[in-house]
Amino acid sequence: MKLDARIPSGPIEKAWDKARFDMKLVNPANKRKHTVLVVGSGLAGASASASMGELGYNVKCFCFQDSPRRAHSIAAQGGINAAKNYQNDGDSVFRLFYDTVKGGDFRSREANVYRLAQNSVNIIDQCVAQGVPFAREYGGALTNRSFGGAQVSRTFYARGQTGQQLLLGAYQALERQVSTGTVTMFPRTEMLDLIVVDGQARGIVTRNLITGELDVHFGDAVVLASGGYGNVYYLSTNAKGSNVTASWRAHKRGALFANPCFTQIHPTCIPVSGDYQSKLTLMSESLRNDGRIWVPKKKGDKRPPSQIPADERDYYLERRYPSFGNLVPRDVASRNAKHVCDEGRGVGESGLGVYLDFSDAIARLGENVIRERYGNLFDMYQRITDENPYKVPMRIYPAIHYTMGGLWVDYYLQSTIPGLFVAGEANFSDHGANRLGASALMQGLSDGYFIIPYTVGNYIANSKLDKVDESHPVVQEAVAGVKNSIHTLLSIKGKRTVDSFHRQLGKIIWDECGMSRTAEGLKKAIGQVRELKQEFWQNVNVPGSGSDLNQSLEKAGRVADFFELGELMCIDALNRNESCGGHFREEYQTPDGEAKRDDENYSYVAAWGYNGPDSEPTLTKEPLEFEYVHPSQRSYK
Amino acid sequence: MKLTLKIWRQKNRDEKGKFVSYSVNNVNPEMSMLECLDVLNEDLIQRGEEPVAFEHDCREGICGSCGFMINGHAHGPQTATTACQLTMRHFKDGDQLTLEPWRAAAFPLVKDLVVDRRAFDRIIAAGGYISVSTGNAPDGNAIPVPKGIADRAMDAATCIGCGACVAACPNASASLFTGAKISHLGLLPQGKPEQDRRALNMVAQMSEEPFGGCTNIGQCTESCPKEIPLEVIANMNRDYRVATLRKRDDLIQVITPVTTWSSDSKS
């Protein structure tokens, strides 16, 4: 297979304008005759559904939660980037584009990133108009803060709840369309298969999580906006329900999966406290604006932080990266935290933690200013740890947070299956090997508000689709397959719970395909994952039935997919014999321990094709070309 | 430590439910309430019983999925804390915790501790938005918003839609939830053009659902994990009353020629 990203020709600044002008349009009166299925109701899914509903399409939107407002975009804290240059500090569309390509360690597609930077300014306008209560100056203007990997202040925020406010904006726009009848919402509904007829995506098989009924929904196009796969690690900052199932089932139907090993470890999370732990809680990266990160200089120094004098503290990020200091990108900050902990200088009971200290900022700005900026985060920290971060430094440790990899899409966000579009974190397109802070919200909304409504329309206008119904053999086969796998899971009645398998899988992936990776470890992990997968299918215990609310059954289906994805992640990480962004192969580093890329051999997107449960996946490469931002070793020194 | 959990078990809406007591022996004080239920559920599955169904997702207090009554308090006894962030260090060894689902006619039971809160979505769909289609927006800084107004709007906008306010209210009123959205949007200049319509339509939908009325008891704000102030209900009542007095649903009716003026025009 040859991958064609369909990037418009000509200068990058004009690419999106040209693409939009070349698109075919659907007559306004005909739009309601076309059905678009949107899976997921987070920033990308809700904004795409609302915008296509406004245009007049007949939209059906699906989410597994009880309401679209619960989607995990809601938990994003820090902010959203936009090249508004309101601060007059030298920002521009080109600079945001440049920072994002560089931040992604030159493994993203330039044209997509440029369009993202262009759209960023419209996103802020749209959200303000919807009533998103962004932080303001006394004069009434919008205010900004800075984030990792950038030297300008371009991050817009609503306290530490930016994701919540942006999602509620999109959710409200979605509900407005629900009230006008253009969008039909299907909450507590999970997509379990994709229906592909004559090579085109034509529908989905869903399970009603309350009644267990399977349904088939047909459409002219399917948009997956089902988020990332960080929960493969079991412990992550993702919501407990976040899963890869929709993407993975599409992958099994022929959509290529790109760069699965590109996962992001967020440097500032609350450290793990025990075996029962079910998830990790993020402390926004914005805290690094005012907090200073340090560990004791001495190994095994057990004194409380207040008794360690300044000259016995190692502010290691400020020492190693004087120009970016505590605001280095996430991958760099995480690796350095791991490094000092591996040296035995970690803090807290487990030794897996570093201090994030606000005492200097409080002395400089006063407690009130810090409370205003981060109050809710400080409260949350205190609720969880029972320590007061105004008095004692926070303890933080990296945790898995975001996945840059995802289904392969072209410039039009269409996967390798025509009619199947992928938006937001579920696609691979914009962040390369590392995502900069405050860029996930930007991408989700750019895809949903400003790209999908155009490109899906263009696809519909160009397609002649025959009617399909439930009698089609492809549909019957898909429904039977879903029924069968539910039946199998329920009838194994083994000895281990789904969670115990998931925990064990997560530990394998975290140990061998987490913050640092080696060829040897990855090979070992592949073997272990395969073995564990086999045991899962013989020894899992899923209680209850398939005809009512059965949360164990839901989890079992998702974990079954995580096994297959986890294996692919290790295969991809093993294939990529270089270090870049979040993918750090210990064999490939510079003398001072930074990631060492191999542009000659690995400047490509690795897109994997599914060949059945017992066959090796096929690798297809999309070469990356850098015309505007020349690859260099990323330096934040 | 050791706890006894007395949990409401009910297979579905139609079958009768009952309390069942379970003892959980290996509770760590650092655990969250939901992690404590995880431990119980793992144990139940191993014993061949059905685990307790409860709603949860983000487990960091923002998605609004979780929530049930813990010893008679919505989300438990800690203020400003959702069940997922309630750590067990607030309880003592040997304590008994009674867990019940939200009880309100507008939130029909689904299973065990899970209820159906779609009534909230319908209230938002009735008017909890600013009607601005994608692409319609002026520059973000075109409309200055005084900081104090933006902050108050944000205070109201932090509502997570968990339903604790309804569960805590002796009348099972949804006024805090509805008032929070009406306040958030009504305070901002962007929300002004639809202020009247919004109040009329959202209140109408709220009354349509089997929620009770507000009698200013204040349990809602007391139990709200986001500490939404009671003021939002006053805002809602004011907006509703002003809108009712003006009896208009948008500016277009005001400029309608006098000849078609009718005092019983639809409001």
Side-chain angles (χ1 to χ4, degrees):
Chain A
M1 181 189 267
K2 198 168 156 22
L3 291 172
D4 179 6
R6 295 198 287 162
I7 299 166
S9 56
I12 200 166
E13 309 85 69
K14 299 267 181 263
W16 182 230
D17 286 344
K18 178 174 182 328
R20 279 189 295 181
F21 183 71
D22 290 343
M23 282 178 191
K24 256 176 111 170
L25 302 174
V26 181
N27 178 311
N30 285 339
K31 285 195 174 108
R32 65 186 166 79
K33 296 177 193 155
H34 296 286
T35 300
V36 182
L37 310 177
V38 180
V39 181
S41 65
L43 284 182
S47 58
S49 300
S51 304
M52 284 188 292
E54 288 159 7
L55 289 171
Y57 292 106
N58 176 31
V59 180
K60 290 177 169 184
C61 180
F62 303 83
C63 70
F64 68 80
Q65 299 93 339
D66 70 324
S67 162
R69 67 181 289 156
R70 314 269 184 231
H72 195 54
S73 307
I74 202 147
Q77 299 172 348
I80 177 165
N81 286 332
K84 282 286 197 185
N85 194 29
Y86 283 158
Q87 303 309 322
N88 196 29
D89 58 357
D91 201 8
S92 63
V93 167
F94 198 89
R95 188 176 295 279
L96 175 55
F97 157 69
Y98 176 91
D99 286 348
T100 307
V101 172
K102 177 185 168 198
D105 218 356
F106 306 95
R107 290 294 173 265
S108 51
R109 199 188 279 146
E110 275 191 332
N112 284 55
V113 179
Y114 195 89
R115 174 179 60 187
L116 175 67
Q118 284 176 306
N119 285 344
S120 69
V121 295
N122 304 103
I123 295 170
I124 297 304
D125 298 342
Q126 184 64 32
C127 294
V128 168
Q130 285 172 348
V132 171
F134 284 118
R136 303 259 169 182
E137 303 288 352
Y138 280 102
L142 293 158
T143 186
N144 293 109
R145 58 186 170 202
S146 29
F147 249 65
Q151 285 174 314
V152 293
S153 282
R154 62 160 77 98
T155 304
F156 294 78
Y157 64 98
R159 294 196 190 143
Q161 289 145 273
T162 318
Q164 179 198 24
Q165 294 310 315
L166 295 175
L167 182 65
L168 292 181
Y171 157 74
Q172 287 161 204
L174 174 71
E175 290 296 338
R176 177 164 81 102
Q177 294 310 305
V178 169
S179 76
T180 64
T182 55
V183 177
T184 313
M185 194 62 222
F186 295 83
R188 295 194 198 270
T189 306
E190 183 166 30
M191 166 182 160
L192 292 178
D193 207 351
L194 178 75
I195 290 168
V196 183
V197 179
D198 301 328
Q200 287 170 299
R202 295 302 308 277
I204 59 175
V205 180
T206 59
R207 178 168 181 270
N208 177 321
L209 300 182
I210 300 293
T211 63
E213 276 161 44
L214 298 183
D215 286 306
V216 182
H217 298 270
F218 296 103
D220 298 292
V222 178
V223 179
L224 292 190
S226 46
Y229 50 86
N231 268 346
V232 65
Y233 292 89
Y234 187 74
L235 283 182
S236 83
T237 65
N238 282 9
K240 290 297 284 176
S242 300
N243 66 82
V244 77
T245 291
S247 297
W248 195 255
R249 308 270 163 112
H251 172 60
K252 287 176 138 181
R253 291 283 172 197
L256 300 195
F257 208 104
N259 299 337
C261 80
F262 286 170
T263 55
Q264 177 164 77
I265 317 283
H266 195 290
T268 50
C269 299
I270 300 178
V272 176
S273 64
D275 299 334
Y276 53 81
Q277 188 121 9
S278 61
K279 78 151 275 160
L280 298 171
T281 302
L282 179 79
M283 288 282 107
S284 168
E285 176 172 341
S286 60
L287 293 170
R288 289 198 274 146
N289 269 300
D290 289 307
R292 297 179 70 196
I293 295 177
W294 63 275
V295 289
K297 282 188 179 160
K298 254 197 339 229
K299 275 184 197 177
D301 191 338
K302 290 284 169 212
R303 286 177 292 175
S306 57
Q307 287 173 23
I308 301 178
D311 61 338
E312 291 180 43
R313 300 174 176 189
D314 179 11
Y315 294 91
Y316 56 89
L317 289 178
E318 296 171 23
R319 173 171 58 81
R320 293 193 64 188
Y321 309 95
S323 65
F324 279 72
N326 292 300
L327 284 174
V328 292
R330 292 174 172 178
D331 54 335
V332 179
S334 295
R335 255 196 312 279
N336 277 279
K338 178 179 190 301
H339 186 69
V340 295
C341 292
D342 288 350
E343 284 177 350
R345 298 195 286 145
V347 300
E349 225 162 88
S350 63
L352 294 176
V354 300
Y355 289 126
L356 178 61
D357 194 340
F358 291 88
S359 50
D360 290 346
I362 290 173
R364 191 176 68 245
L365 303 163
E367 196 172 309
N368 278 347
V369 175
I370 296 298
R371 191 181 301 278
E372 173 124 314
R373 285 185 191 163
Y374 313 109
N376 65 325
L377 298 171
F378 277 44
D379 292 347
M380 173 141 80
Y381 182 84
Q382 186 160 11
R383 261 199 303 280
I384 293 174
T385 62
D386 210 19
E387 289 172 359
N388 178 357
Y390 294 100
K391 306 271 177 248
V392 194
M394 286 184 179
R395 282 175 298 113
I396 52 159
Y397 196 68
I400 181 76
H401 175 58
Y402 185 89
T403 53
M404 283 76 69
L407 292 178
W408 185 89
V409 289
D410 63 14
Y411 186 74
Y412 295 78
L413 303 185
Q414 183 172 267
S415 71
T416 48
I417 302 174
L420 177 69
F421 293 78
V422 191
E425 190 179 351
N427 74 29
F428 88 103
S429 74
D430 295 356
H431 306 296
N434 174 57
R435 179 175 66 73
L436 292 181
S439 287
L441 302 182
M442 173 171 72
Q443 188 219 337
L445 291 179
S446 167
D447 289 0
Y449 282 132
F450 298 112
I451 301 173
I452 286 287
Y454 289 94
T455 60
V456 168
N458 177 50
Y459 168 78
I460 290 173
N462 280 302
S463 308
K464 276 213 172 66
L465 299 168
D466 298 327
K467 207 169 151 39
V468 247
D469 61 31
E470 309 209 357
S471 63
H472 197 287
V474 167
V475 180
Q476 294 188 334
E477 182 258 336
V479 174
V482 169
K483 256 190 204 146
N484 193 25
S485 81
I486 290 173
H487 177 76
T488 309
L489 286 170
L490 285 167
S491 53
I492 298 170
K493 293 284 177 249
K495 294 208 161 28
R496 288 183 63 182
T497 62
V498 177
D499 274 357
S500 86
F501 279 105
H502 194 178
R503 235 179 253 275
Q504 197 181 343
L505 170 70
K507 175 134 188 8
I508 297 171
I509 307 287
W510 174 250
D511 287 345
E512 307 299 347
C513 198
M515 262 193 285
S516 75
R517 302 141 183 206
T518 62
E520 199 192 336
L522 289 163
K523 281 180 200 151
K524 194 175 84 189
I526 293 169
Q528 287 173 334
V529 171
R530 282 181 188 158
E531 243 170 69
L532 192 63
K533 180 171 81 175
Q534 229 171 11
E535 194 199 331
F536 175 85
W537 285 104
Q538 284 159 5
N539 198 25
V540 72
N541 179 6
V542 183
S545 81
S547 55
D548 69 343
L549 178 66
N550 186 341
Q551 294 170 321
S552 303
L553 177 63
E554 295 164 25
K555 276 195 260 186
R558 294 168 192 167
V559 172
D561 292 330
F562 279 134
F563 274 112
E564 299 180 10
L565 167 82
E567 187 181 330
L568 186 67
M569 282 168 67
C570 295
I571 291 173
D572 184 43
L574 187 60
N575 169 69
R576 195 168 278 280
N577 290 318
E578 64 163 350
S579 294
C580 56
H583 170 67
F584 190 74
R585 282 278 300 273
E586 286 176 22
E587 304 94 319
Y588 309 98
Q589 49 181 309
T590 62
D592 54 352
E594 302 294 338
K596 195 170 152 199
R597 280 198 330 267
D598 177 356
D599 288 336
E600 204 166 310
N601 296 304
Y602 291 95
S603 186
Y604 63 74
V605 175
W608 299 90
Y610 183 80
N611 291 324
D614 304 308
S615 313
E616 294 290 318
T618 316
L619 171 63
T620 309
K621 299 174 186 178
E622 180 204 336
L624 291 171
E625 278 155 40
F626 293 91
E627 236 181 290
Y628 297 86
V629 187
H630 291 293
S632 55
Q633 200 213 320
R634 270 193 322 160
S635 170
Y636 293 96
K637 298 225 179 228
Chain B
M1 62 194 211
K2 211 172 147 172
L3 292 176
T4 305
L5 302 182
K6 189 176 151 200
I7 303 176
W8 183 259
R9 303 299 308 262
Q10 184 171 347
K11 199 165 168 42
N12 55 47
R13 201 168 302 170
D14 305 322
E15 279 179 47
K16 254 185 95 167
K18 59 169 193 265
F19 279 109
V20 181
S21 286
Y22 302 94
S23 54
V24 188
N25 297 328
N26 40 348
V27 179
N28 182 312
E30 304 290 312
M31 251 178 206
S32 72
M33 183 71 239
L34 303 191
E35 284 167 344
C36 186
L37 283 176
D38 289 343
V39 170
L40 170 67
N41 278 344
E42 288 291 286
D43 200 37
L44 290 176
I45 298 170
Q46 294 292 13
R47 298 202 314 240
E49 294 176 40
E50 264 213 58
V52 179
F54 63 94
E55 198 115 51
H56 65 105
D57 203 21
C58 80
R59 296 204 178 190
E60 46 189 278
I62 194 78
C63 74
S65 295
C66 70
F68 38 81
M69 304 302 279
I70 304 169
N71 289 347
H73 301 281
H75 289 295
Q78 279 306 103
T79 54
T81 305
T82 52
C84 63
Q85 293 202 311
L86 175 67
T87 47
M88 303 317 284
R89 70 173 84 94
H90 299 295
F91 300 103
K92 289 192 308 291
D93 188 36
D95 275 0
Q96 170 173 295
L97 309 187
T98 305
L99 311 185
E100 305 167 74
W102 294 158
R103 293 198 189 278
F107 292 162
L109 189 122
V110 174
K111 186 178 183 177
D112 297 340
L113 302 176
V114 179
V115 297
D116 179 349
R117 291 168 288 192
R118 279 178 296 177
F120 274 3
D121 289 330
R122 291 190 289 269
I123 291 176
I124 297 296
Y129 44 75
I130 291 171
S131 299
V132 51
S133 296
T134 306
N136 265 325
D139 184 83
N141 262 344
I143 311 161
V145 181
K147 187 171 184 307
I149 296 287
D151 285 347
R152 276 175 66 206
M154 181 66 198
D155 287 341
T158 56
C159 167
I160 58 175
C162 63
C165 48
V166 176
C169 174
N171 307 332
S173 165
S175 294
L176 196 73
F177 171 82
T178 310
K181 191 46 67 189
I182 287 176
S183 301
H184 158 211
L185 298 175
L187 280 165
L188 294 169
Q190 303 94 300
K192 293 289 182 202
E194 288 173 294
Q195 194 168 11
D196 288 3
R197 281 170 60 99
R198 182 180 307 117
L200 292 170
N201 291 336
M202 289 180 76
V203 170
Q205 185 63 36
M206 180 175 77
S207 313
E208 188 74 16
E209 309 281 350
F211 291 110
C214 173
T215 49
N216 294 321
I217 297 168
Q219 283 285 334
C220 51
T221 185
E222 190 75 22
S223 68
C224 174
K226 296 296 152 185
E227 302 183 297
I228 305 285
L230 206 55
E231 170 202 307
V232 301
I233 300 182
N235 289 342
M236 172 177 76
N237 290 338
R238 187 200 55 219
D239 279 9
Y240 181 74
R241 225 154 277 170
V242 169
T244 312
L245 280 174
R246 284 207 278 245
K247 270 277 186 195
R248 62 179 196 197
D249 55 10
D250 53 42
L251 286 168
I252 293 167
Q253 284 203 325
V254 179
I255 55 164
T256 309
V258 176
T259 47
T260 63
W261 185 270
S262 153
S263 61
D264 59 1
S265 67
K266 192 177 161 289
S267 59

